[in-house]
Amino acid sequence: MRRVGVLALQGDFEAHQKALQQAGAEAIPVRTSEQLEQVEGLIIPGGESTTMLKLLRVENLLEPLKRFAEVKPVFGTCAGAILLASKVTNPVQESLNVVDIDVERNAYGRQLDSRVARIDAAPGFVRSGGASEDFEAVFIRAPVIRRVGEGVKVLARFQGDPVLVEQGRHLVATFHPELTADRSLHKLFLRKLGPETHDSPKSEQHR
Amino acid sequence: MYLDDSFRVKVGLAEMLKGSVIMDVTNAEQALIAEKAGAAAVMALERVPSDIRKEGGVARMAPIRKIREIMATVSIPVMAKARIGHFMEARILEALEVDYVDESEVLTPADEEHHIAKRDFKVPFVCGARNLGEALRRIAEGAAMIRTKGEAGSGNIVEAVRHIRTIVKEMKQLTVLGKEELVSESKKLQAPLELVQWVAANGKLPVPNFSAGGIATPADAALVMQLGAEAVFVGSGIFKSEDPEARARAIVKAATYYNDPVKLLEASEELGMAMPGLDVSKLQETELLQTRGW
């Protein structure tokens, strides 16, 4: 079984762990760089990006995360999308610069502007098990992707703005696929892990 | 269950706050300190609970100008307290576009019989509870997040521990009961059968379950999280301590690493004196805040 980490500093990491299990993977909460070394891919969940950033700095996890993303796939949702971006505004804050996108925080407004909406799959983007062209997405105080770089492919849009994009092995959603029942995006991320190898990381050592 | 889209979005924001700390603040300066320390949200109120306790008088919703200043200063969610049953304070906070309303026993209740009918609102609500019946009644009214009441402003964790243990134990007990027993249990809990059945099937509340009321140290935060709380509210504990900034950072770290004693030691290392505490058992019944709510 593939071992996928979920950054568990804060946020809805448990919902992602459950979604990964439903998609057929083993989900490992990651709070230290040692735990990061044990996983084949990482999900950065929704939550408050300022809080996560603060903890990443204090716990010296920023550099290990950047190195991880150079060789392994990362999937960022909402706050995770903000952390993976190359540039963040409203307000300006540090980010990991893993995916070539500019992101504006809280761009739809406050909680009263959070919503469940149908989003449009880009032509050619076919989700496993989903034939329909639009699908349900939960937006919570969501960011908006204001710019996508050349190597970034838009997979879905809402009101014309990109909300699901990929760049090589990385995946970014401004909404919360972990809060809907459809597991196709977690499965898509699992396919980015590549073929299973025999030297894949061993089970977590006992502390 | 009331899982329409509106309720999913309300619970959604509570999900995003799991593993974090929500800090009481009375002005923009404190809000900024809280955000910089890693708070995932702030709670705007007129006075922190220990001052309300000391000064007495009627405690109301915070001044709007203060809440606006806080909203303009931080990028994290801003919550604000409304009095129990005071649905017009809540409507005003909704019009102000705060991110969450706390229908709170810390303020002087406006209605000694009824809580706010929270499902009619677009803004999500958090409510306090001491036991499962209270929690489920609040959820039935539309609360999208529950927090234990503890004893606000006491700096004493004993009541928060009692309340989280009670709720967790009462939920566990439901999971072993038969269908007929759940009907009678629903009557005892004074909570809708549908919600009692949901808890019996899932062993947890249908909304996130946080802890509040008396958390003053990183160890306190870790304790209630070990007992089943999914995040913590810290009221007087931060800004009534000797070292608000360091303490705020330390409690944030404790909410993440509540399972890791070495990290908790690191978090506790540099701290000075916590807020002065009260022996809750010496308080008069009329001085208790937790008994407010019906």
Side-chain angles (χ1 to χ4, degrees):
Chain A
M1 202 186 276
R2 309 310 293 262
R3 292 170 59 85
V4 179
V6 182
L7 190 68
L9 299 177
Q10 183 273 324
D12 74 335
F13 51 88
E14 277 177 1
H16 268 297
Q17 284 171 234
K18 209 169 171 191
L20 279 171
Q21 286 158 2
Q22 287 164 348
E26 188 184 351
I28 316 285
V30 170
R31 295 183 177 90
T32 64
S33 54
E34 293 76 33
Q35 289 164 340
L36 189 58
E37 284 166 18
Q38 302 290 324
V39 297
E40 302 171 73
L42 182 75
I43 293 183
I44 304 182
E48 279 306 315
S49 61
T50 52
T51 305
M52 290 186 205
L53 197 56
K54 174 85 202 170
L55 286 160
L56 287 172
R57 276 195 208 116
V58 173
E59 302 302 321
N60 296 317
L61 287 168
L62 280 173
E63 283 309 313
L65 254 183
K66 280 186 197 170
R67 285 200 301 276
F68 181 92
E70 281 167 17
V71 287
K72 289 177 182 167
V74 181
F75 182 10
T77 63
C78 197
I82 296 167
L83 291 176
L84 290 178
S86 48
K87 194 176 141 200
V88 179
T89 55
N90 190 32
V92 173
Q93 69 184 38
E94 189 182 356
S95 56
L96 293 162
N97 193 15
V98 167
V99 178
D100 188 14
I101 52 173
D102 292 355
V103 166
E104 182 187 339
R105 290 182 59 206
N106 299 327
Y108 297 102
R110 307 192 66 95
Q111 172 64 9
L112 287 180
D113 304 294
S114 293
R115 75 196 85 185
V116 180
R118 306 289 302 180
I119 60 174
D120 307 310
F125 174 53
V126 180
R127 296 170 305 127
S128 61
S132 70
E133 289 184 347
D134 66 341
F135 56 104
E136 189 182 61
V138 180
F139 292 90
I140 310 279
R141 287 172 47 97
V144 167
I145 298 173
R146 292 296 181 202
R147 183 194 65 84
V148 295
E150 270 180 29
V152 178
K153 194 170 150 198
V154 176
L155 302 182
R157 290 178 187 273
F158 174 61
Q159 296 176 342
D161 293 314
V163 292
L164 177 66
V165 304
E166 69 179 350
Q167 180 179 331
R169 62 187 168 273
H170 304 308
L171 196 59
V172 161
T174 61
F175 57 96
H176 295 279
E178 72 281 13
L179 295 184
T180 43
D182 176 9
R183 291 290 156 252
S184 59
L185 297 186
H186 286 82
K187 286 179 185 162
L188 171 67
F189 181 62
L190 292 181
R191 290 199 294 277
K192 289 180 176 294
L193 299 176
E196 203 157 1
T197 54
H198 287 293
D199 57 347
S200 66
K202 289 196 194 77
S203 290
E204 202 173 353
Q205 298 289 315
H206 215 66
R207 267 215 298 231
Chain B
M1 273 306 300
Y2 322 112
L3 283 178
D4 57 13
D5 287 353
S6 162
F7 197 67
R8 287 170 67 194
V9 165
K10 290 172 177 175
V11 174
L13 180 55
E15 295 282 342
M16 300 310 143
L17 299 175
K18 284 184 176 176
S20 78
V21 185
I22 300 144
M23 300 183 193
D24 275 5
V25 296
T26 55
N27 57 44
E29 188 194 341
Q30 289 182 350
L32 198 60
I33 292 172
E35 182 178 52
K36 282 194 174 155
V42 290
M43 172 75 72
L45 72 177
E46 187 187 35
R47 293 172 283 169
V48 293
S50 70
D51 285 340
I52 294 175
R53 195 177 277 291
K54 229 178 284 165
E55 296 161 13
V58 174
R60 310 181 179 91
M61 170 178 83
I64 297 301
R65 184 172 48 81
K66 291 273 184 198
I67 305 176
R68 267 198 201 285
E69 279 170 19
I70 292 166
M71 288 168 70
T73 304
V74 296
S75 64
I76 53 178
V78 176
M79 305 184 176
K81 286 185 192 285
R83 285 178 264 179
I84 289 175
H86 205 317
F87 54 87
M88 287 322 293
E89 278 188 350
R91 282 291 178 205
I92 291 168
L93 292 172
E94 182 179 53
L96 183 59
E97 299 195 358
V98 301
D99 297 293
Y100 241 92
V101 174
D102 183 1
E103 186 184 16
S104 176
E105 71 282 359
V106 168
L107 306 187
T108 312
D111 189 324
E112 296 194 329
E113 202 171 334
H114 310 99
H115 281 255
I116 298 171
K118 295 168 275 287
R119 284 157 84 177
D120 296 346
F121 286 72
K122 199 172 177 218
V123 68
F125 279 83
V126 52
C127 285
R130 287 173 301 169
N131 52 53
L132 185 59
E134 238 182 307
L136 295 182
R137 286 196 294 280
R138 298 296 87 81
I139 296 168
E141 292 156 1
M145 182 201 298
I146 291 296
R147 53 168 179 78
T148 58
K149 286 180 177 171
E151 187 56 34
S154 70
N156 189 337
I157 196 68
V158 66
E159 295 302 304
V161 167
R162 189 193 319 281
H163 299 160
I164 194 84
R165 277 205 187 271
T166 302
I167 292 174
V168 169
K169 186 169 100 187
E170 288 176 332
M171 291 195 294
K172 276 188 204 155
Q173 285 168 343
L174 286 187
T175 63
V176 296
L177 297 182
K179 280 181 203 161
E180 303 83 357
E181 291 168 305
L182 289 179
V183 178
S184 121
E185 206 55 35
S186 152
K187 197 167 82 181
K188 272 189 229 151
L189 290 168
Q190 298 180 48
L193 178 60
E194 194 188 15
L195 287 176
V196 171
Q197 287 167 331
W198 197 96
V199 173
N202 294 278
K204 60 186 191 95
L205 292 182
V207 304
N209 186 11
F210 295 0
S211 185
I215 295 160
T217 68
D220 289 346
L223 176 64
V224 288
M225 296 212 37
Q226 285 284 347
L227 292 175
E230 296 173 299
V232 295
F233 286 80
V234 186
S236 321
I238 288 170
F239 291 102
K240 286 292 165 187
S241 73
E242 274 186 353
D243 44 7
E245 288 168 19
R247 188 162 297 268
R249 281 198 302 273
I251 296 179
V252 167
K253 182 162 171 164
T256 295
Y257 296 101
Y258 66 94
N259 241 336
D260 186 336
V262 175
K263 293 272 190 194
L264 292 171
L265 171 64
E266 285 171 20
S268 310
E269 199 89 59
E270 300 295 324
L271 296 181
M273 287 297 283
M275 68 177 282
L278 293 173
D279 183 347
V280 179
S281 64
K282 302 258 164 64
L283 293 177
Q284 298 292 319
E285 177 76 24
T286 52
E287 295 177 283
L288 293 176
L289 302 176
Q290 60 176 279
T291 50
R292 298 165 164 183
W294 356 103

